[in-house]
Structure formats: structure tokens, C-alpha cells
Amino acid sequence: MESLTGWGRTAPTLARVERPTTVEEATLAVLAAGPRGAVARGLARSYGDAAQNAGGRVLDMTGLSRILDIDLPAGTVTAEAGVSLHQLMKVLLPLGWFVPVTPGTRYVTLGGAIGSDIHGKNHHVSGSFSRHVSSFDLLTADGSVRTVTRESDSDLFHATVGGMGLTGVVTTATVRLLPVRTSLMSVDTERAADLDELLARLTTTDHRYRYSVAWIDLLAKGGSMGRAVLTRGDHAEPGQLSPAQRRDPLAFRPATLPAAPRLLPGGLLRPVTVGLFNELWYRRAPRERRGEIQKISTFFHPLDGVPEWNRVYGRNGFLQYQFVIGLDQERTLRRIVERISRSQCPSFLAVLKRFGQGDPGWLSFPAEGWTLALDIPTGMPGLGGLLNELDDEVAGAGGRVYLAKDSRLRPESLAGMYPRLDDFRRLRAELDPAGLFTSDLARRLRL
């Protein structure tokens, strides 16, 4: 038995970890699971307990990591579920193709991207990851492998994308890619002085960019509440590069710094220290800068440059709280930002984005609206009560929290947030009547 946590390093549980390297080995591991069932796990970037299974089996899928086919004329890749987006970028970028959607880390697996229906800075243009999935193979509870498309098996497709691994184990998938002419980004950066200015800029100018995100200072108060730094960009064209960059315009060479120390004190992140960081971060950002050329790794995945950066939060770990509410719920968003600001929640990593139209995955998180994500040390006094209040605000506004990042949502809040939840439960009961596929998240939220 091994002790496992999510990326937030909270609530460890023990499970028997299987490490299959073939679909046949994965099938045997699933069929041998006992009454506590099994769940697949990738690179463990889910923040909470989605890829834990106390007392049961966990299938570490990173051993199934082969790229099976790249169809250059069609712009598709077929790969095993344990392939990471990092691996895909290393192979695909020199060929002039990019993954269609990437979150803030490229160390997520293809299977995890489907199970969480991940989103990125381009959701307002490209939707979530499932929009680009042509098909996937799914190992089901009876040991059979089904090839699933949205056309051939619509219910199973839409229950699996965003279904947190509870309909089966994705073993391979085919994904449509995005053509690019360089591996660099053309980036515009600007400051917004407060929340109103931030929302106005995102509303009126987001359509000009493929990628858009805002870092927001959640400790700022008064007239500065919600001040932010907007970072938006597009894939650079060869004509935008310097002569040196044009010599190898599709190179992919992300930089890596030393890992974070193991024994950082848990009290390092206090309102005072985070407030100083936020002040410095805001003021060092340019008031307005256009057309800066950045590496893909710098623009999309700055934290990946510091291995195990999650140690920064100390032994007690942290959680990430992410919600989405509709575009007509700006008053609710303001109340939430005010409530977080009053609490002096020591979050230095907080991002606001504007989602486009959601995709039809039954438990997929993205929906058209405003989404705010923030990291919070778990040692913060009064944290549980604060987040319960925010849950109520989000649910009252018809919004939802992101299950891939959740570690503490109350089950009674779930049904109002995910209107297809009963359909999801019904299909699971038909497909897997013994409840073989389960997880700590599934038991906690009665999925």
C-alpha cells in the first residue's frame, strides 16, 4: 500500500498502486480490484482527491505513454492515455502542431485531460479539451474495451469527458491539433486598476486574442480592489521573430530551475508576505506592453519551471478553489472578491478568465461566464466557513466549482451545480453496477 495525495498535498490515503504498461495489464488490474474498487491516476496534478482511492486500487497510467500515430495531413495524434502534454509538445511542435488546449501545467496526461475535461487560456475561442477529442478507447468494468465517439456513443462520451475517471479507464485517444508556424508567443501585457476596469477590458477586447488571462490581487482593498495584470497573446508568426529566433522557429526548449526545498515553513504564506508579493508583482508589470515574444513554456506554464513548486505551501499543503458563474453575475463576482479581500486570504496565485460557450460533457466544468481560481494554504483560520459561504454564492448564481481541483465541497451543493448529475449517476449504475470505478472524490461527493 502507498500513501497518495493530490497536488495540494492534503488528506493522504493508502491504496494499492498498480503500474500497467499495456492495456492487458490494466485490464487484469481492474478485474482483480476488490470491493474498494479502482481508479486511474496520471501525473497527480489534480489538486484534491480525484485520483485517490482509500483501501482500493489506483492504476498509475504513466507506463502507457506511447505516441501511436501522427496524421500530419489530418492534424491529429493518437496516443496512449499516459502520454503527457509535455511529451506531445516535444514531438509535435517541431512538426508545426500544438495541443489544442493546455492548462497551467503541461505535466498532465492525455487520460487526465479527458477525465477532467481541462480548459486553458483559450476557452473563449476553443472550448474545453473534449471539443478536440475525436475518439477514445475506454476500459469498462466488465473488462471490455470500447471505442467511443460522440457520434457512436453520445451518452458514454459525454459522461466520460469531465467524468473524473468514474466511467472507466481511458487507454488511448485521438485528438485534433492546432497548426502553428512558430513555437513562440506574441504577448500583450497591461494593468487594470480595479475590478470594474478588468471586467470591462476582458469583455470588450478578449475576442482579439486566442489566449487571455488575468492575475488578480485578491488582497487589494478599497479603490484598488480587484486590480490585475492582463496577459494575452497569440502564436507568433515568423515575421515577428528576431533573426536568431528565425533560425529554429519551432524549437521547444523549456527552462527548468532547481526544485523547491522540501522543508519550507508552513507559515511562510501570511497576508503580510503575500501582500508584499502582490504589491511587487503588480508594480513590476508594465502598464502596457505590446508584442513581447515569449517561449510557450513562459507564457503557458511558468510554474513548471520549478519542479515540485507545491512544496512552497509547507507541510499542511494547500487547496485550489475555482468556480465559474455567468456573464450576467458580475455583482456576485464582486461580492465574492470583496469577501475574499476582507478575509485577507493569503493567495498570491489567483487568476480570472472569461469562458466562452461550454461543451456538453455531463460533469464538465467550463460554462460561459467568469471563472476565478485561487490557491489557499490550508492552515488559514476560518477557511472552511469562508469557502462554504463562497459555495453558496456560486450555487445561488447558478455556477459551479471545478471537481478536478476540489477537495472539500459538500455533497449537498453538487446537484445544483451540475444539472446532469442524475444522468451521470444513472449511466454509471448501468455500466458499472458493482461500483468498481470509484475514488475518494466519488465517495465524498456521492458521485
Side-chain angles (χ1 to χ4, degrees):
M1 302 289 269
E2 297 180 29
S3 177
L4 301 173
T5 71
W7 189 242
R9 305 175 71 225
T10 61
T13 56
L14 295 172
R16 176 172 170 170
V17 179
E18 306 284 353
R19 295 182 170 81
T21 57
T22 65
V23 175
E24 291 73 22
E25 290 177 3
T27 303
L28 291 174
V30 165
L31 294 178
R36 296 290 289 180
V39 71
R41 181 179 175 99
L43 288 166
R45 264 20 183 218
S46 290
Y47 284 74
D49 51 4
Q52 297 171 224
N53 183 25
R57 293 196 180 208
V58 170
L59 275 66
D60 179 336
M61 297 295 289
T62 56
L64 280 86
S65 56
R66 293 174 298 173
I67 295 176
L68 303 174
D69 181 58
I70 301 172
D71 187 336
L72 291 177
T76 63
V77 62
T78 300
E80 291 182 327
V83 167
S84 69
L85 298 193
H86 175 79
Q87 287 176 266
L88 290 176
M89 289 177 201
K90 280 177 62 178
V91 172
L92 295 171
L93 270 169
L95 301 175
W97 294 97
F98 190 54
V99 294
V101 170
T102 177
T105 174
R106 60 186 179 275
Y107 293 106
V108 298
T109 61
L110 183 55
I114 293 171
S116 298
D117 199 13
I118 59 171
H119 60 270
K121 298 178 176 72
N122 58 342
H123 189 275
H124 61 294
V125 174
S126 303
S128 53
F129 196 82
S130 64
R131 189 177 297 184
H132 310 276
V133 174
S134 302
S135 67
F136 54 80
D137 283 356
L138 187 71
L139 170 59
T140 55
D142 62 4
S144 64
V145 177
R146 295 167 62 165
T147 298
V148 181
T149 71
R150 56 173 58 77
E151 295 81 17
S152 67
D153 203 341
S154 177
D155 281 0
L156 185 54
F157 184 94
H158 292 117
T160 300
V161 297
M164 309 310 298
L166 298 175
T167 60
V169 178
V170 174
T171 59
T172 64
T174 298
V175 180
R176 294 185 295 275
L177 302 168
L178 177 72
V180 294
R181 300 183 67 196
T182 78
S183 61
L184 296 163
M185 303 296 298
S186 175
V187 180
D188 291 351
T189 304
E190 58 194 290
R191 291 190 210 167
D194 56 35
L195 185 61
D196 290 338
E197 183 179 338
L198 171 62
L199 299 185
R201 290 195 189 195
L202 289 171
T203 300
T204 57
T205 59
D206 246 13
H207 65 280
R208 300 176 188 168
Y209 300 89
R210 177 175 288 275
Y211 303 98
S212 176
V213 67
W215 169 85
I216 183 169
D217 181 0
L218 289 175
L219 287 176
K221 294 182 176 178
S224 298
M225 191 193 76
R227 66 181 179 178
V229 179
L230 284 81
T231 309
R232 295 183 285 183
D234 293 284
H235 294 279
E237 294 295 320
Q240 297 175 275
L241 308 188
S242 68
Q245 290 165 334
R246 283 181 211 149
R247 284 198 286 271
D248 194 0
L250 290 167
F252 179 60
R253 301 188 189 96
T256 302
L257 298 172
R262 286 187 177 278
L263 298 176
L264 284 169
L268 187 64
L269 298 177
R270 298 177 182 278
V272 171
T273 54
V274 174
L276 290 172
F277 171 87
N278 286 2
E279 185 71 28
L280 178 63
W281 191 260
Y282 180 77
R283 293 191 178 279
R284 73 183 288 273
R287 291 186 184 278
E288 182 173 313
R289 181 172 58 202
R290 303 291 175 192
E292 181 189 15
I293 300 299
Q294 294 184 1
K295 290 182 175 181
I296 271 179
S297 54
T298 303
F299 181 74
F300 288 104
H301 317 117
L303 288 173
D304 282 347
V306 183
E308 302 187 76
W309 63 264
N310 55 345
R311 294 176 183 170
V312 168
Y313 290 87
R315 293 184 186 279
N316 291 334
F318 70 108
L319 60 85
Q320 186 168 96
Y321 185 73
Q322 182 169 6
F323 66 86
V324 61
I325 54 176
L327 294 175
D328 59 347
Q329 294 294 329
E330 292 183 343
R331 289 185 179 179
T332 303
L333 180 62
R334 170 171 283 280
R335 282 199 302 274
I336 290 174
V337 172
E338 285 176 343
R339 183 68 185 87
I340 295 171
S341 176
R342 281 202 312 275
S343 75
Q344 289 294 281
C345 177
S347 176
F348 70 89
L349 186 65
V351 296
L352 183 76
K353 295 194 290 268
R354 191 171 184 271
F355 277 160
Q357 187 174 6
D359 289 282
W362 291 355
L363 295 189
S364 290
F365 166 68
E368 188 170 27
W370 302 107
T371 181
L372 177 64
L374 60 151
D375 286 354
I376 311 172
T378 53
M380 175 187 163
L383 178 59
L386 169 64
L387 294 181
N388 287 343
E389 289 178 22
L390 300 188
D391 286 345
D392 293 341
E393 282 274 13
V394 170
R400 61 184 63 151
V401 299
Y402 191 11
L403 297 182
K405 297 181 176 179
D406 178 59
S407 56
R408 33 66 52 197
L409 183 67
R410 295 163 294 175
E412 58 269 25
S413 301
L414 193 65
M417 295 181 173
Y418 288 91
R420 299 298 302 270
L421 179 61
D422 285 343
D423 292 328
F424 180 78
R425 288 169 168 158
R426 173 188 51 76
L427 185 137
R428 277 194 72 205
E430 293 172 3
L431 192 69
D432 180 12
L436 188 150
F437 292 111
T438 189
S439 65
D440 292 353
L441 173 83
R443 279 188 282 269
R444 177 168 57 82
L445 292 178
R446 303 168 199 159
L447 291 171

